[in-house]
Amino acid sequence: MSRAPLLCLASVVSVQVGQAVGKRAFDLLEPAGVVTLRLGLAALVLLAVLRPRPPADARALGLVVAFGTAIAGMNLVYPALRHLPLGVATSLQLIGPLTVALAGSRRPLDAAWALLAAAGVFLINDGGGPLPVHGVLLALASGIAMGGYLLLSRRAGSADPGTLALAVTWAAVVSLPFGIRASGTDLLRPPVLAVGLAVAVLSAVLPYSLDLAALRRLPPRTVGVLQSLEPVVGALAGVVLLAELLDARHRVAIGCITAASAGAVLTPRRAGGTPCPGPGGTPASAPGARARPSPSPRSPRPRRTPGAGPARRSAPPPPRRARW
């Protein structure tokens, strides 16, 4: 049995456990301080491991800034956790990627997935009393940033491997003023740094590494389905690590959003939208997918002129190196 699905599941568990540890750190720091430590320490680890080169041109620099800004926006889920249970915040965050997956579709089945997700959001807002509006808005804003992250990740994946490290560094720079204003010198206390390093490794460095290893062995569609389990894993992490008990309506809401996300990823698109998966489930335009050469008609044999020597064959072009 392949261990690749286990790598992806380990990434999902690592992210949610890291967010639970980050929420527990609210006793030591404000959420903005936790975000600053998470991004700053993750950037230091990624810079040391990947050793990126500076952007070569304005286009590469723009990609780093846009990608890093999306990563910084995704961290709005941490201030949302001040007001929401972990499973609820993660479910609302998933609305952004789900919207990206369903954008532009005109099929009735995709409309059904959107309605199922909307039902989940309605149940979350109506279950066990009204939730704080600012917490819901922060989680939804984090989801919007995650949608932008997904749209930019294809370009970042085909760019220099150090783009991720530079983008996380930019996200850390963006969050730094807010973290200093909220927590000040508390950011430098050794116990706080230890917790921040744990959050950075669990919720950023380790998941990125596991996702990369999984994507080398699994089609992106399968990875998407496994990552749709994040709300469920987040709810379990909230129960085990934070003692956050959810009522029946919240559990049903999380199930609706998870099912809608998995269904949207599993359903193939044959016209418009996401391309149909190729062999092994990998879409033809997905990062890492290899394009099939189109069959070319046979070229006629060169005719020999009487008295001329044998026809010379042109040398084949040198093989191209794969870009990593």
Side-chain angles (χ1 to χ4, degrees), residues 42-43 45-48 50-52 64 67 161-170:
V45 173
L46 290 172
L47 287 173
L50 297 179
R51 298 180 181 180
V64 167
F67 200 40
T163 300
L164 174 63
L166 295 175
V168 174
T169 302
W170 172 251

Side-chain angles (χ1 to χ4, degrees), residues 35-318:
V35 170
T36 295
L37 280 184
R38 174 186 185 266
L39 291 174
L41 295 175
L44 291 177
V45 173
L46 290 172
L47 287 173
V49 172
L50 297 179
R51 298 180 181 180
R53 294 173 295 180
D57 50 29
R59 186 174 182 180
L61 178 61
L63 176 60
V64 167
V65 170
F67 200 40
T69 303
I71 292 174
M74 288 165 56
N75 282 269
L76 289 172
V77 72
Y78 281 90
L81 289 175
R82 170 74 86 181
H83 313 284
L84 302 176
L86 179 57
V88 172
T90 305
S91 300
L92 291 173
Q93 191 184 30
L94 198 62
I95 296 298
L98 180 59
T99 302
V100 171
L102 298 177
S105 176
R106 299 178 180 178
R107 299 180 312 162
L109 185 57
D110 286 333
W113 298 131
L115 290 175
L116 185 60
V121 174
F122 173 78
L123 289 173
I124 281 179
N125 287 322
D126 197 44
L131 295 172
V133 175
H134 44 288
V136 172
L137 292 178
L138 284 169
L140 290 175
S142 174
I144 293 172
M146 184 178 286
Y149 170 87
L150 292 177
L151 292 174
L152 291 167
S153 61
R154 178 169 295 182
R155 288 180 56 196
S158 61
D160 187 89
T163 300
L164 174 63
L166 295 175
V168 174
T169 302
W170 172 251
V173 171
V174 171
S175 70
L176 185 60
F178 302 98
I180 292 177
R181 180 180 178 183
S183 300
T185 56
D186 287 341
L187 293 169
L188 301 178
R189 289 193 293 134
V192 172
L193 287 172
V195 173
L197 182 60
V199 175
V201 172
L202 286 172
S203 65
V205 177
L206 186 58
Y208 291 151
S209 304
L210 291 172
D211 284 342
L212 181 61
L215 282 168
R216 289 172 180 167
R217 299 168 174 86
L218 287 175
R221 201 166 61 135
T222 304
V223 175
V225 173
L226 293 173
Q227 289 179 340
S228 300
L229 297 174
E230 285 197 4
V232 177
V233 177
L236 292 175
V239 171
V240 174
L241 300 176
L242 303 172
E244 294 177 343
L245 299 178
L246 302 177
D247 58 27
R249 296 190 72 168
H250 282 155
R251 291 195 295 269
V252 172
I254 291 172
C256 288
I257 295 175
T258 300
S261 178
V265 174
L266 276 173
T267 308
R269 288 165 173 76
R270 300 191 178 278
T274 304
C276 276
T282 306
S285 61
R290 297 181 180 179
R292 293 184 173 184
S294 57
S296 57
R298 291 185 177 180
S299 56
R301 281 187 168 184
R303 296 181 180 179
R304 295 183 58 184
T305 307
R312 298 179 61 186
R313 296 182 180 179
S314 58

